[in-house]
Amino acid sequence: MTETNLLLPMRTGEIRIHDAEGFAGMRRAGRLVAECLDMLVAEVKPGVTTEHLDRLVYQFVHDHGATSATIGYRGYRHASCISVNHVICHGIPGPKALKDGDIANIDVTLIIDGWHGDHSRMYGVGDVKRKAERLMEVTYEAMMAGIAQIKPGARFGDIGGAISEVARLNRVSVVDEFCGHGLGRLFHDEPNVVHSSAYGTGPQLKAGMFFTIEPMLNLGRRDAAILPDGWTAVTRDRQLSAQFEHSVGVTETGYEIFSASPKGWHEPFKVQRG
């Protein structure tokens, strides 16, 4: 870790409230990470390896004066996590090439001016089957339904309640081994944002809170397993999984999405379909 990291705040067990400076910092970080994932839309195609995509992410982050938050984090060595098909999250980039019909989540966290931008999207590779497209659509819908619950006075459980409702209505399952998290000047801060909670439960939302919402939905059962590498989480039944993630802040009247795509490419698989 660098000396700069030693100056970062420590987790206190309390949910931080940020001011206007924090919102400005998160806008810069969120926009940059969204631009990074926009850049990848044209690069995700059959025959491309995930390690090549990871190198593109690293170069983008470096070229824009930012730092990768994941390189060196608990020993992780890459600038992205790339999770293909039945990989739920934390897929490690490597030499295996993407195939026609694959779906992939690419998750990037960068740091600029001390603020963390954390964002992930699904990408369709070539000709994707309708059931895979539908899973991606439902996962995005679930994330946005959770985000729509954000306003001062609401509860964190309202977010997971809305996500769970969308999943139930579409007969998919919500992975509950992983959750969203507070962020800002820390990569992972309070609170944990659970995606399978109940309406009316959990801490109250207050203006100035920053966190991620990042539901993972499976076509089959919700059960996850961790591979021997200690990172890669997969579906136990090897059914497809999808995830979307935004970094958000609670405003005085609702919410702000920091990681919105400047090009409107929040759902890049639709851009690829035309």
Side-chain angles (χ1 to χ4, degrees):
M1 296 294 176
T2 65
E3 288 188 60
T4 302
N5 287 331
L6 297 176
L7 300 176
L8 291 176
M10 302 293 290
R11 291 187 74 158
T12 65
E14 297 182 355
I15 304 173
R16 297 179 199 275
I17 302 297
H18 299 84
D19 58 13
E21 179 186 359
F23 274 89
M26 289 299 290
R27 288 184 192 116
R28 291 192 298 273
R31 181 183 177 90
L32 188 60
V33 75
E35 289 175 348
C36 180
L37 293 192
D38 283 353
M39 175 270 296
L40 292 175
V41 169
E43 303 293 337
V44 177
K45 50 195 173 184
V48 172
T49 66
T50 54
E51 64 184 4
H52 172 71
L53 296 174
D54 185 69
R55 286 195 294 269
L56 292 177
V57 171
Y58 176 82
Q59 193 62 50
F60 179 96
V61 172
H62 180 269
D63 289 348
H64 288 80
T67 303
S68 169
T70 54
I71 295 176
Y73 179 78
R74 297 185 179 179
Y76 196 75
R77 298 167 56 189
H78 304 276
S80 63
C81 294
I82 304 180
S83 304
V84 181
N85 294 335
H86 72 288
V87 178
I88 297 170
C89 62
H90 302 157
I92 299 174
K96 188 173 182 179
L98 296 172
K99 304 187 304 298
D100 187 67
D102 284 345
I103 61 172
N105 174 273
I106 302 181
D107 189 348
V108 175
T109 307
L110 55 77
I111 310 168
I112 187 160
D113 300 327
W115 296 96
H116 289 72
D118 193 356
H119 180 34
S120 83
R121 299 182 202 161
M122 294 301 299
Y123 296 76
V125 184
D127 186 15
V128 175
K129 291 182 178 179
R130 180 56 188 153
K131 69 175 183 179
E133 282 189 338
R134 182 59 184 153
L135 177 62
M136 293 191 289
E137 290 168 354
V138 170
T139 305
Y140 181 81
E141 179 186 344
M143 177 186 66
M144 294 308 296
I147 290 173
Q149 299 297 313
I150 299 173
K151 61 182 179 181
R155 299 280 178 179
F156 274 97
D158 299 341
I159 298 169
I163 290 168
S164 297
E165 186 174 11
V166 171
R168 177 180 56 80
L169 291 173
N170 288 278
R171 299 183 180 182
V172 295
S173 57
V174 181
V175 177
D176 57 13
E177 285 92 341
F178 305 97
C179 61
H181 53 87
L183 84 167
R185 289 193 173 275
L186 286 179
F187 188 178
H188 294 103
D189 203 354
E190 304 297 336
N192 290 331
V193 183
V194 179
H195 303 120
S196 56
S197 51
Y199 288 108
T201 64
Q204 191 174 70
L205 294 165
K206 297 179 181 179
M209 291 179 173
F210 298 163
F211 48 88
T212 69
I213 298 178
E214 46 185 297
M216 289 146 268
L217 272 56
N218 296 344
L219 269 182
R221 298 193 306 272
R222 66 170 183 80
D223 308 278
I226 307 297
L227 297 187
D229 60 34
W231 286 102
T232 309
V234 300
T235 58
R236 287 188 178 273
D237 59 10
R238 297 188 68 83
Q239 293 265 26
L240 293 176
S241 185
Q243 178 188 17
F244 280 90
E245 175 184 17
H246 269 317
S247 297
V248 300
V250 185
T251 68
E252 296 291 342
T253 57
Y255 62 85
E256 179 174 349
I257 299 175
F258 298 126
S259 49
S261 163
K263 296 184 177 181
W265 290 355
H266 314 300
E267 304 169 80
F269 60 92
K270 290 189 175 180
V271 175
Q272 292 167 328
R273 280 208 306 263

